[in-house]
mmCIF file of all heavy atoms in Angstrom:
data_model
loop_
_atom_site.group_PDB
_atom_site.id
_atom_site.type_symbol
_atom_site.label_atom_id
_atom_site.label_comp_id
_atom_site.label_asym_id
_atom_site.label_seq_id
_atom_site.Cartn_x
_atom_site.Cartn_y
_atom_site.Cartn_z
ATOM 1 N N VAL A 15 -9.565 27.697 -5.587
ATOM 2 C CA VAL A 15 -8.482 28.644 -5.419
ATOM 3 C C VAL A 15 -8.238 29.056 -3.997
ATOM 4 O O VAL A 15 -7.122 29.035 -3.397
ATOM 5 C CB VAL A 15 -8.655 29.932 -6.291
ATOM 6 C CG1 VAL A 15 -7.497 30.926 -6.134
ATOM 7 C CG2 VAL A 15 -8.744 29.587 -7.759
ATOM 8 N N THR A 16 -9.362 29.403 -3.255
ATOM 9 C CA THR A 16 -9.152 29.812 -1.900
ATOM 10 C C THR A 16 -8.740 28.747 -1.011
ATOM 11 O O THR A 16 -7.801 28.958 -0.196
ATOM 12 C CB THR A 16 -10.589 30.255 -1.312
ATOM 13 O OG1 THR A 16 -11.115 31.460 -1.999
ATOM 14 C CG2 THR A 16 -10.493 30.717 0.167
ATOM 15 N N ALA A 17 -9.125 27.551 -1.305
ATOM 16 C CA ALA A 17 -8.745 26.365 -0.490
ATOM 17 C C ALA A 17 -7.172 26.051 -0.759
ATOM 18 O O ALA A 17 -6.505 25.818 0.214
ATOM 19 C CB ALA A 17 -9.460 25.138 -0.893
ATOM 20 N N ASN A 18 -6.887 26.279 -1.901
ATOM 21 C CA ASN A 18 -5.434 25.898 -2.211
ATOM 22 C C ASN A 18 -4.427 27.065 -1.635
ATOM 23 O O ASN A 18 -3.359 26.802 -1.179
ATOM 24 C CB ASN A 18 -5.091 25.757 -3.808
ATOM 25 C CG ASN A 18 -3.926 25.105 -4.088
ATOM 26 O OD1 ASN A 18 -3.807 24.611 -5.221
ATOM 27 N ND2 ASN A 18 -2.953 24.795 -3.214
ATOM 28 N N LEU A 19 -5.043 28.357 -1.700
ATOM 29 C CA LEU A 19 -4.191 29.395 -1.158
ATOM 30 C C LEU A 19 -4.038 29.129 0.384
ATOM 31 O O LEU A 19 -2.890 29.355 0.887
ATOM 32 C CB LEU A 19 -4.974 30.753 -1.466
ATOM 33 C CG LEU A 19 -4.666 31.428 -2.812
ATOM 34 C CD1 LEU A 19 -5.636 32.485 -2.929
ATOM 35 C CD2 LEU A 19 -3.191 31.767 -2.990
ATOM 36 N N LEU A 20 -5.079 28.872 1.185
ATOM 37 C CA LEU A 20 -5.086 28.495 2.529
ATOM 38 C C LEU A 20 -4.106 27.336 2.848
ATOM 39 O O LEU A 20 -3.521 27.371 3.893
ATOM 40 C CB LEU A 20 -6.508 28.425 3.147
ATOM 41 C CG LEU A 20 -7.395 29.600 3.036
ATOM 42 C CD1 LEU A 20 -8.802 29.106 3.382
ATOM 43 C CD2 LEU A 20 -6.950 30.523 4.091
ATOM 44 N N ALA A 21 -4.006 26.443 1.952
ATOM 45 C CA ALA A 21 -3.138 25.179 2.154
ATOM 46 C C ALA A 21 -1.683 25.676 2.196
ATOM 47 O O ALA A 21 -0.859 24.865 2.739
ATOM 48 C CB ALA A 21 -3.432 24.180 1.072
ATOM 49 N N VAL A 22 -1.364 26.775 1.694
ATOM 50 C CA VAL A 22 -0.023 27.306 1.554
ATOM 51 C C VAL A 22 0.501 27.623 2.905
ATOM 52 O O VAL A 22 1.723 27.705 3.109
ATOM 53 C CB VAL A 22 0.158 28.504 0.600
ATOM 54 C CG1 VAL A 22 1.518 28.977 0.546
ATOM 55 C CG2 VAL A 22 -0.279 28.020 -0.829
ATOM 56 N N ILE A 23 -0.361 27.678 4.008
ATOM 57 C CA ILE A 23 0.139 27.847 5.276
ATOM 58 C C ILE A 23 1.052 26.657 5.824
ATOM 59 O O ILE A 23 1.736 26.899 6.817
ATOM 60 C CB ILE A 23 -0.890 28.134 6.321
ATOM 61 C CG1 ILE A 23 -1.912 27.034 6.646
ATOM 62 C CG2 ILE A 23 -1.801 29.407 5.822
ATOM 63 C CD1 ILE A 23 -2.745 27.171 7.680
ATOM 64 N N GLU A 24 0.797 25.587 5.187
ATOM 65 C CA GLU A 24 1.542 24.386 5.635
ATOM 66 C C GLU A 24 3.148 24.600 5.731
ATOM 67 O O GLU A 24 3.715 24.431 6.762
ATOM 68 C CB GLU A 24 1.382 23.175 4.777
ATOM 69 C CG GLU A 24 2.163 21.917 5.065
ATOM 70 C CD GLU A 24 2.188 20.925 3.971
ATOM 71 O OE1 GLU A 24 1.513 20.927 3.124
ATOM 72 O OE2 GLU A 24 3.011 19.863 4.200
ATOM 73 N N PRO A 25 3.795 25.032 4.583
ATOM 74 C CA PRO A 25 5.269 25.275 4.734
ATOM 75 C C PRO A 25 5.643 26.466 5.599
ATOM 76 O O PRO A 25 6.746 26.402 6.125
ATOM 77 C CB PRO A 25 5.743 25.610 3.317
ATOM 78 C CG PRO A 25 4.440 26.011 2.544
ATOM 79 C CD PRO A 25 3.331 25.265 3.222
ATOM 80 N N VAL A 26 4.683 27.326 5.880
ATOM 81 C CA VAL A 26 4.910 28.401 6.949
ATOM 82 C C VAL A 26 5.047 27.977 8.430
ATOM 83 O O VAL A 26 5.865 28.362 9.023
ATOM 84 C CB VAL A 26 3.838 29.470 6.777
ATOM 85 C CG1 VAL A 26 3.902 30.558 7.766
ATOM 86 C CG2 VAL A 26 3.772 29.985 5.441
ATOM 87 N N PHE A 27 4.183 27.033 8.673
ATOM 88 C CA PHE A 27 4.206 26.376 9.957
ATOM 89 C C PHE A 27 5.209 25.382 10.304
ATOM 90 O O PHE A 27 5.486 25.029 11.411
ATOM 91 C CB PHE A 27 2.799 25.930 10.387
ATOM 92 C CG PHE A 27 1.773 27.013 10.822
ATOM 93 C CD1 PHE A 27 0.739 27.300 9.988
ATOM 94 C CD2 PHE A 27 1.910 27.637 12.096
ATOM 95 C CE1 PHE A 27 -0.121 28.480 10.344
ATOM 96 C CE2 PHE A 27 1.139 28.666 12.406
ATOM 97 C CZ PHE A 27 0.001 28.982 11.596
ATOM 98 N N ASN A 28 5.657 24.793 9.236
ATOM 99 C CA ASN A 28 6.699 23.685 9.447
ATOM 100 C C ASN A 28 7.795 24.072 10.159
ATOM 101 O O ASN A 28 8.180 23.502 11.204
ATOM 102 C CB ASN A 28 7.223 23.277 7.926
ATOM 103 C CG ASN A 28 6.505 21.936 7.527
ATOM 104 O OD1 ASN A 28 6.487 21.082 8.304
ATOM 105 N ND2 ASN A 28 6.183 21.930 6.408
ATOM 106 N N PRO A 29 8.545 25.150 9.944
ATOM 107 C CA PRO A 29 9.656 25.652 10.753
ATOM 108 C C PRO A 29 9.183 26.046 12.187
ATOM 109 O O PRO A 29 9.954 25.990 13.152
ATOM 110 C CB PRO A 29 10.269 26.827 10.055
ATOM 111 C CG PRO A 29 9.247 27.371 9.164
ATOM 112 C CD PRO A 29 8.307 26.109 8.767
ATOM 113 N N VAL A 30 7.942 26.499 12.440
ATOM 114 C CA VAL A 30 7.402 26.802 13.770
ATOM 115 C C VAL A 30 7.416 25.562 14.634
ATOM 116 O O VAL A 30 7.977 25.588 15.787
ATOM 117 C CB VAL A 30 6.018 27.447 13.640
ATOM 118 C CG1 VAL A 30 5.473 27.669 15.018
ATOM 119 C CG2 VAL A 30 6.035 28.631 12.836
ATOM 120 N N TRP A 31 7.007 24.353 14.113
ATOM 121 C CA TRP A 31 6.904 23.210 14.953
ATOM 122 C C TRP A 31 8.470 22.772 15.243
ATOM 123 O O TRP A 31 8.750 22.301 16.384
ATOM 124 C CB TRP A 31 6.345 22.164 14.139
ATOM 125 C CG TRP A 31 4.778 22.225 13.988
ATOM 126 C CD1 TRP A 31 4.049 22.485 12.834
ATOM 127 C CD2 TRP A 31 3.821 22.215 15.096
ATOM 128 N NE1 TRP A 31 2.811 22.545 13.140
ATOM 129 C CE2 TRP A 31 2.567 22.529 14.474
ATOM 130 C CE3 TRP A 31 3.873 22.117 16.409
ATOM 131 C CZ2 TRP A 31 1.324 22.641 15.284
ATOM 132 C CZ3 TRP A 31 2.802 22.204 17.128
ATOM 133 C CH2 TRP A 31 1.481 22.442 16.587
ATOM 134 N N VAL A 32 9.299 22.803 14.158
ATOM 135 C CA VAL A 32 10.596 22.430 14.517
ATOM 136 C C VAL A 32 11.397 23.334 15.499
ATOM 137 O O VAL A 32 12.128 22.804 16.302
ATOM 138 C CB VAL A 32 11.431 22.537 13.075
ATOM 139 C CG1 VAL A 32 12.874 22.146 13.331
ATOM 140 C CG2 VAL A 32 10.866 21.480 12.152
ATOM 141 N N PHE A 33 10.961 24.559 15.400
ATOM 142 C CA PHE A 33 11.554 25.524 16.484
ATOM 143 C C PHE A 33 11.063 25.240 17.837
ATOM 144 O O PHE A 33 11.867 25.130 18.909
ATOM 145 C CB PHE A 33 11.333 26.929 16.139
ATOM 146 C CG PHE A 33 11.567 27.913 17.137
ATOM 147 C CD1 PHE A 33 12.867 28.174 17.585
ATOM 148 C CD2 PHE A 33 10.535 28.615 17.821
ATOM 149 C CE1 PHE A 33 13.141 29.084 18.649
ATOM 150 C CE2 PHE A 33 10.780 29.548 18.870
ATOM 151 C CZ PHE A 33 12.113 29.857 19.241
ATOM 152 N N LEU A 34 9.745 25.063 18.094
ATOM 153 C CA LEU A 34 9.275 24.893 19.367
ATOM 154 C C LEU A 34 9.660 23.425 19.994
ATOM 155 O O LEU A 34 9.768 23.486 21.121
ATOM 156 C CB LEU A 34 7.556 24.717 19.188
ATOM 157 C CG LEU A 34 6.943 26.137 18.824
ATOM 158 C CD1 LEU A 34 5.511 25.868 18.670
ATOM 159 C CD2 LEU A 34 7.201 27.111 19.982
ATOM 160 N N VAL A 35 9.836 22.350 19.169
ATOM 161 C CA VAL A 35 10.213 21.085 19.655
ATOM 162 C C VAL A 35 11.654 20.755 19.691
ATOM 163 O O VAL A 35 12.294 20.365 20.674
ATOM 164 C CB VAL A 35 9.404 19.932 19.000
ATOM 165 C CG1 VAL A 35 9.745 18.648 19.418
ATOM 166 C CG2 VAL A 35 7.930 20.212 19.029
ATOM 167 N N LEU A 36 12.352 21.170 18.614
ATOM 168 C CA LEU A 36 13.795 20.843 18.390
ATOM 169 C C LEU A 36 14.624 22.144 18.624
ATOM 170 O O LEU A 36 15.903 21.933 18.756
ATOM 171 C CB LEU A 36 14.005 20.305 17.111
ATOM 172 C CG LEU A 36 13.267 19.040 16.756
ATOM 173 C CD1 LEU A 36 13.576 18.621 15.308
ATOM 174 C CD2 LEU A 36 13.549 17.961 17.637
ATOM 175 N N GLY A 37 14.034 23.320 18.713
ATOM 176 C CA GLY A 37 14.937 24.504 19.074
ATOM 177 C C GLY A 37 15.665 25.042 17.916
ATOM 178 O O GLY A 37 16.563 25.848 18.151
ATOM 179 N N GLU A 38 15.344 24.654 16.688
ATOM 180 C CA GLU A 38 15.996 25.202 15.517
ATOM 181 C C GLU A 38 15.307 26.540 15.147
ATOM 182 O O GLU A 38 14.190 26.498 14.692
ATOM 183 C CB GLU A 38 15.910 24.305 14.302
ATOM 184 C CG GLU A 38 16.734 22.904 14.517
ATOM 185 C CD GLU A 38 16.584 22.102 13.297
ATOM 186 O OE1 GLU A 38 16.179 22.558 12.150
ATOM 187 O OE2 GLU A 38 17.011 20.952 13.480
ATOM 188 N N ALA A 39 15.908 27.639 15.339
ATOM 189 C CA ALA A 39 15.326 28.987 15.136
ATOM 190 C C ALA A 39 15.180 29.279 13.724
ATOM 191 O O ALA A 39 16.050 28.969 12.823
ATOM 192 C CB ALA A 39 16.286 30.015 15.742
ATOM 193 N N PRO A 40 13.992 29.834 13.340
ATOM 194 C CA PRO A 40 13.869 30.153 11.957
ATOM 195 C C PRO A 40 14.627 31.332 11.497
ATOM 196 O O PRO A 40 14.919 32.128 12.308
ATOM 197 C CB PRO A 40 12.225 30.470 11.831
ATOM 198 C CG PRO A 40 11.902 30.816 13.188
ATOM 199 C CD PRO A 40 12.822 30.095 14.141
ATOM 200 N N SER A 41 15.078 31.373 10.163
ATOM 201 C CA SER A 41 15.810 32.486 9.780
ATOM 202 C C SER A 41 14.952 33.799 9.449
ATOM 203 O O SER A 41 13.654 33.609 9.487
ATOM 204 C CB SER A 41 16.365 32.148 8.383
ATOM 205 O OG SER A 41 15.422 31.922 7.339
ATOM 206 N N ALA A 42 15.615 34.877 9.241
ATOM 207 C CA ALA A 42 14.845 36.134 8.926
ATOM 208 C C ALA A 42 13.982 35.923 7.748
ATOM 209 O O ALA A 42 12.796 36.439 7.612
ATOM 210 C CB ALA A 42 15.837 37.294 8.708
ATOM 211 N N ASN A 43 14.598 35.184 6.717
ATOM 212 C CA ASN A 43 13.745 34.917 5.459
ATOM 213 C C ASN A 43 12.524 34.212 5.664
ATOM 214 O O ASN A 43 11.502 34.416 5.222
ATOM 215 C CB ASN A 43 14.517 34.209 4.449
ATOM 216 C CG ASN A 43 15.678 35.115 3.803
ATOM 217 O OD1 ASN A 43 15.614 36.250 3.957
ATOM 218 N ND2 ASN A 43 16.561 34.388 3.090
ATOM 219 N N THR A 44 12.618 33.262 6.655
ATOM 220 C CA THR A 44 11.441 32.487 6.947
ATOM 221 C C THR A 44 10.310 33.357 7.565
ATOM 222 O O THR A 44 9.178 33.223 7.372
ATOM 223 C CB THR A 44 11.810 31.281 8.008
ATOM 224 O OG1 THR A 44 12.780 30.452 7.343
ATOM 225 C CG2 THR A 44 10.674 30.467 8.434
#
């Protein structure tokens, strides 16, 4: 359970990478 919960950070960091490299700013919801 702990491992699967920690894996949920994946979609959280997805928009961060896109913002840093491609400049697409994350929304307030993100």
